[in-house]
Amino acid sequence: ERLCTGCTLEAFLQGTKHNCPNCNAALSKDNSSALAKLRAHAENGNAAAIYHLGQKYYYGDLGLQVDVPRAIELWVKAAELGDADAHYDLGVVYFHGDEGVDKDKKKGIRHWQQAAMKGQAEGRHALGLLEFERSNYKLALEHWTISASMGYEKSTQAIGCAFELGDGTGEQRARALGGFRDAVGEMKSPQRAIADKLFHCISSRDSQL
């Protein structure tokens, strides 16, 4: 399990602590303690913990040295256990190449496809970008409509840009904005006001088209 981004942001703003979603222990600000707890969950086969441990190695967090090959090894393991975010990050490193990783666009795309099928909005958005670059505008917009309906704002913006360029239809634009509005409506935190403001900004652009 994971703490959602909104909850984590709110905890940071308020200076409060959340308990670990896996074992309910208080989360520590001490790097060594936090790393030990994360490793313990990873060793128990928790896919999300394995993925996040890979993140720490990739970015050099919690006192770890940057170790891209180790990060990828962990992401591969997490992906095998079904973690969608791991599939997305593997898609990025394989598609673009990285330290110790040969560029393999086909492999990267396969990971994005796996992420998208598991409901990961960034993976779906990446597939949309790929199809747009290939001039497959209809398929690109189909991908973006799905990810926009999940509340992924970059996809909503991408549809807006495509619409202004004449590559989108009014119906697809309306579906995407409707999905984004529904996602905003389901938010239960103070950050909803920010999302509301974004939605109204996007909607106002529509009225000028």
Side-chain angles (χ1 to χ4, degrees), residues 167-202:
D167 296 318
T169 68
E171 179 183 356
Q172 287 169 321
R173 176 73 168 161
R175 283 172 55 199
L177 287 172
F180 184 72
R181 181 183 57 206
D182 291 342
V184 169
E186 294 173 1
M187 293 179 181
K188 302 297 182 182
S189 74
Q191 277 64 47
R192 176 177 175 175
I194 299 174
D196 274 326
K197 186 178 294 185
L198 175 62
F199 172 73
H200 288 306
C201 177
I202 296 171

Side-chain angles (χ1 to χ4, degrees), residues 78-91:
E80 290 173 348
L81 293 172
D83 190 275
D85 291 329
H87 277 295
Y88 172 74
D89 283 351
L90 286 170

Side-chain angles (χ1 to χ4, degrees), residues 36-46 49-50 53 70 77:
K37 192 169 295 181
L38 184 58
R39 278 179 167 154
H41 290 309
E43 289 171 2
N44 286 332
N46 183 286
I50 295 169
L53 184 57
R70 176 58 175 156
K77 185 176 181 180

Side-chain angles (χ1 to χ4, degrees), residues 82-202:
D83 190 275
D85 291 329
H87 277 295
Y88 172 74
D89 283 351
L90 286 170
V92 173
V93 296
Y94 284 122
F95 189 86
H96 297 288
D98 209 322
E99 178 186 335
V101 182
D102 292 331
K103 183 183 294 187
D104 187 336
K105 290 190 174 183
K106 289 184 178 179
K107 193 171 185 178
I109 292 169
R110 286 198 298 271
H111 279 291
W112 282 338
Q113 290 171 336
Q114 287 295 315
M117 286 189 291
K118 292 177 181 298
Q120 212 265 4
E122 289 174 294
R124 181 70 68 178
H125 180 77
L127 293 176
L129 289 173
L130 182 65
E131 296 301 337
F132 193 85
E133 290 175 358
R134 293 172 171 173
S135 298
N136 296 329
Y137 301 126
K138 183 176 184 295
L139 186 53
L141 289 167
E142 287 175 358
H143 282 303
W144 288 338
T145 298
I146 294 171
S147 47
S149 71
M150 299 175 188
Y152 193 64
E153 180 243 331
K154 287 184 179 180
S155 293
T156 307
Q157 292 179 337
I159 291 172
C161 292
F163 186 79
E164 290 172 5
L165 292 170
D167 296 318
T169 68
E171 179 183 356
Q172 287 169 321
R173 176 73 168 161
R175 283 172 55 199
L177 287 172
F180 184 72
R181 181 183 57 206
D182 291 342
V184 169
E186 294 173 1
M187 293 179 181
K188 302 297 182 182
S189 74
Q191 277 64 47
R192 176 177 175 175
I194 299 174
D196 274 326
K197 186 178 294 185
L198 175 62
F199 172 73
H200 288 306
C201 177
I202 296 171

Side-chain angles (χ1 to χ4, degrees), residues 63-79:
L64 292 171
Q65 294 294 317
V66 172
D67 188 340
V68 174
R70 176 58 175 156
I72 292 172
E73 179 184 345
L74 289 165
W75 288 343
V76 168
K77 185 176 181 180

